[in-house]
Amino acid sequence: MDSSQNAATAGNGVGGNGMIISQGNNTAATAVDDPKQNLNQVINSIQKTLGLLHQLYLTVSSFNAASQLPLLQCLNSLVMELDNMVKLAEKCSIQVPMEVLNLIDDGKNPDEFTRDVINSCIAKNQITKGKTDAFKGLRRHLLEELEQTFPDEVESYREIRAASAAESKRLAQAQSILPNGDMKV
């Protein structure tokens, strides 16, 4: 099948490889509220658009008077698919950081952004862990000093603390809440 036949069949709703090309808003109207399904529909629309652009390129590169109608049909199919893509994209809420787009514009791999974010999180996590360990050490040191000075009060504090921890654990189990605050599924 040559490029003019490809373009002609694209205008009729069938791609050059036998793939049905969406005409109109039927895909957008049947979109479910499932974000993954919406994303898959947008991805499929992007792939169809890329296929139509390739067909358009082939038609234009071998343009003659006889290929004017297939060219117009291919352009109409492209416009309809772009319209469909916009409608599908409205149901998809994906936020892409500007840094990722800037990396792509600069010709770099967007995975660099992910790597940098992960490395930043690791560094912040290490800082937070250091602070937590320092507070645990301070608490331990204060309890040791208080125990030497006020042994009865520290013993009473530890009993109250143990009772409170047991009560929190019992309530968490009763409410199906994990000790870290997550809900059991």
Side-chain angles (χ1 to χ4, degrees):
M1 188 180 287
D2 70 353
S3 61
S4 63
Q5 289 173 328
N6 278 343
T9 57
N12 294 330
V14 178
N17 59 0
M19 184 172 67
I20 303 293
I21 297 175
S22 169
Q23 298 281 331
N25 300 336
N26 59 352
T27 307
T30 60
V32 184
D33 288 339
D34 180 24
K36 194 168 190 172
Q37 179 70 20
N38 290 342
L39 180 61
N40 286 336
Q41 288 177 339
V42 171
I43 290 170
N44 289 339
S45 181
I46 290 170
Q47 290 172 347
K48 288 177 187 176
T49 302
L50 290 174
L52 287 170
L53 286 170
H54 179 70
Q55 289 175 354
L56 186 63
Y57 167 76
L58 294 175
T59 305
V60 168
S61 64
S62 63
F63 184 76
N64 59 35
S67 64
Q68 184 171 358
L69 181 61
L71 175 65
L72 292 174
Q73 291 173 334
C74 190
L75 282 172
N76 286 334
S77 295
L78 178 64
V79 168
M80 285 188 289
E81 191 57 44
L82 287 171
D83 183 49
N84 184 36
M85 186 190 314
V86 167
K87 290 177 182 171
L88 289 172
E90 289 172 355
K91 296 178 183 172
C92 235
S93 61
I94 296 177
Q95 297 177 352
V96 178
M98 283 303 296
E99 293 89 353
V100 173
L101 298 176
N102 290 337
L103 282 173
I104 293 170
D105 286 344
D106 294 341
K108 296 180 182 174
N109 189 341
D111 290 340
E112 291 178 20
F113 175 77
T114 305
R115 186 190 65 232
D116 293 343
V117 167
I118 289 174
N119 288 338
S120 173
C121 287
I122 289 170
K124 289 178 182 178
N125 187 28
Q126 290 172 343
I127 291 169
T128 304
K129 184 181 182 318
K131 290 178 181 179
T132 303
D133 290 345
F135 278 113
K136 285 180 181 177
L138 175 63
R139 181 181 178 276
R140 186 174 40 253
H141 177 71
L142 286 174
L143 276 176
E144 288 171 0
E145 292 292 322
L146 285 170
E147 191 170 29
Q148 290 176 0
T149 310
F150 306 106
D152 294 335
E153 286 81 1
V154 170
E155 184 62 32
S156 175
Y157 165 76
R158 286 189 174 149
E159 288 173 3
I160 293 170
R161 178 105 171 153
S164 174
E167 179 67 17
S168 294
K169 185 176 180 181
R170 186 189 64 75
L171 286 173
Q173 289 173 345
Q175 296 176 356
S176 299
I177 297 177
L178 297 174
N180 65 357
D182 292 344
M183 294 293 294
K184 287 184 183 178
V185 180

